[in-house]
Amino acid sequence: MSHHYSGPDFGFPHGDARLDLTDLYAFPKPGDAGKSILIMNVHPSASVNPPGLTTADPFGREALYELKIDTDGDAVADIAYRVRFSASEGGKLTATLRRVDGIQAAGTGGGGQVIVEGAPVSIGREARVTDAGDYRFFAGWRSDPFFFDTQGARNNLQFTGDDFFADKDVCSIVMEVPNSALGRQNLGLWARTLDGVGGKWVQADRGARPLQAVFLTGAENAAYLGGEPADDARFVAVFAHSLQHAGGYTPQEATRVAGTLLPDILSYDPKRPASFPNNGRTLTDDAVDVFLPILTNGKVTGDKVGPHRDLLGEFPYLGPPHKG
């Protein structure tokens, strides 16, 4: 479940599907080595606990969606892209993208340099794309590119190849960014959602590497989702405990493997081809088949599910929603 259903008992953070971070992708723009595609997916169209559809309202008005970028390897953000949503005079939902640099990028707030303002949010099958200088921006419902036998995972990892996400949708924030705006070659990326309902920003969800927040955080789930990558060493013990239970690792080996999974950051070099887990993540990378051998100590190597076939060859790259 990549990062879907990262709240308690396969639920949603703060009980709000719109705050549920599902996936983070980063890869060079096809046909243009000078730009990168950064994708933050949130809000699954269907829940598993309880089963059923989530709200049709794509993004929270009192929420902040943020992509963090570490440029110097200290697991602290040096660049942040922030997206907020509001209703226009006609009642249509629009998005504003801002950028923050330096010490403010590591903080919390809705400010920053405006990159895109008033971008229309796509509700139907048509992808409404906004161009702003060297940037392109999209926000709205799309076909969920993640592929996984979710029910098999819930049935003690007894996989049948049934792709739970084959007909599911997700809300996507897609940015085309010039590499010159990313600072350097070796980057660390993660995404987070913040809840502002109570009058101040509270981090609801965060992550970068697929699946581990769902399967390895155990009793520390809430602390993990509210935490920062720079402090992730405190979760090595709980990750190790989960690995011992799921994979039969020795305590020493479980601790070693847990240390390779933290901090929860996606490494990305824009000048190299993307392939998870070595560099970024593309929409067809089989993250499940990378994670399962780690979780089970090699006992389970895959879930018999492959990439979706509705992906696009051009921006925003994700296929149209199934229920547009």
Side-chain angles (χ1 to χ4, degrees), residues 1-2 48 146-166 211 215 286 288-289 292 302-306 308:
M1 282 170 279
S2 196
V48 296
F146 184 59
F147 46 99
F148 186 37
D149 180 358
T150 297
Q151 300 305 334
R154 300 182 74 196
N155 185 28
N156 198 31
L157 302 184
Q158 301 299 305
F159 295 112
T160 65
D162 181 15
D163 185 359
F164 177 82
F165 297 97
L211 296 158
F215 288 95
D286 200 331
V288 172
D289 286 4
L292 285 176
D303 68 338
K304 307 175 185 177
V305 176
H308 294 170

Side-chain angles (χ1 to χ4, degrees), residues 30 311-315 317:
L311 300 171
L312 305 180
E314 59 186 11
F315 194 92
Y317 302 100

Side-chain angles (χ1 to χ4, degrees), residues 239-260:
F239 271 41
H241 177 78
S242 296
L243 290 169
Q244 283 182 257
H245 177 75
Y249 288 92
T250 66
Q252 295 80 7
E253 185 65 4
T255 298
R256 184 194 69 79
V257 174
T260 67

Side-chain angles (χ1 to χ4, degrees), residues 279-300:
N279 187 50
R281 182 184 175 193
T282 73
L283 296 169
T284 58
D285 285 337
D286 200 331
V288 172
D289 286 4
V290 171
F291 181 75
L292 285 176
I294 297 173
L295 178 69
T296 66
N297 199 9
K299 298 178 180 67
V300 179

Side-chain angles (χ1 to χ4, degrees), residues 94-112:
T94 64
T96 298
L97 169 68
R98 290 179 170 88
R99 175 183 166 120
V100 185
D101 292 87
I103 191 169
Q104 291 184 331
T108 298

Side-chain angles (χ1 to χ4, degrees), residues 55-213:
T55 175
D57 185 31
F59 301 99
R61 314 306 196 273
E62 297 181 83
L64 183 66
Y65 300 86
E66 197 167 47
L67 177 65
K68 299 276 199 178
I69 303 174
D70 169 28
T71 64
D72 57 12
D74 63 357
V76 176
D78 302 289
I79 301 169
Y81 286 100
R82 295 169 171 167
V83 183
R84 291 202 66 183
F85 296 89
S86 59
S88 66
E89 291 183 5
K92 301 272 181 81
L93 196 63
T94 64
T96 298
L97 169 68
R98 290 179 170 88
R99 175 183 166 120
V100 185
D101 292 87
I103 191 169
Q104 291 184 331
T108 298
Q113 175 192 359
V114 174
I115 304 295
V116 176
E117 189 169 21
V121 172
S122 295
I123 303 299
R125 292 177 61 84
E126 178 187 359
R128 305 181 69 184
V129 176
T130 301
D131 292 295
D134 290 333
Y135 288 81
R136 300 193 88 192
F137 179 83
F138 168 87
W141 284 106
R142 298 309 280 170
S143 172
D144 194 337
F146 184 59
F147 46 99
F148 186 37
D149 180 358
T150 297
Q151 300 305 334
R154 300 182 74 196
N155 185 28
N156 198 31
L157 302 184
Q158 301 299 305
F159 295 112
T160 65
D162 181 15
D163 185 359
F164 177 82
F165 297 97
D167 61 352
K168 303 301 189 297
D169 295 327
V170 74
C171 291
S172 299
I173 296 170
V174 186
M175 293 183 289
E176 180 180 301
V177 180
N179 291 338
S180 58
L182 297 178
R184 53 173 288 179
Q185 289 183 229
N186 299 311
L187 307 171
L189 312 177
W190 67 99
R192 68 175 184 166
T193 63
L194 296 104
D195 186 353
V197 170
K200 64 177 182 178
W201 294 120
V202 177
Q203 183 168 297
D205 202 356
R206 62 100 178 189
R209 296 175 59 92
L211 296 158
Q212 58 191 46

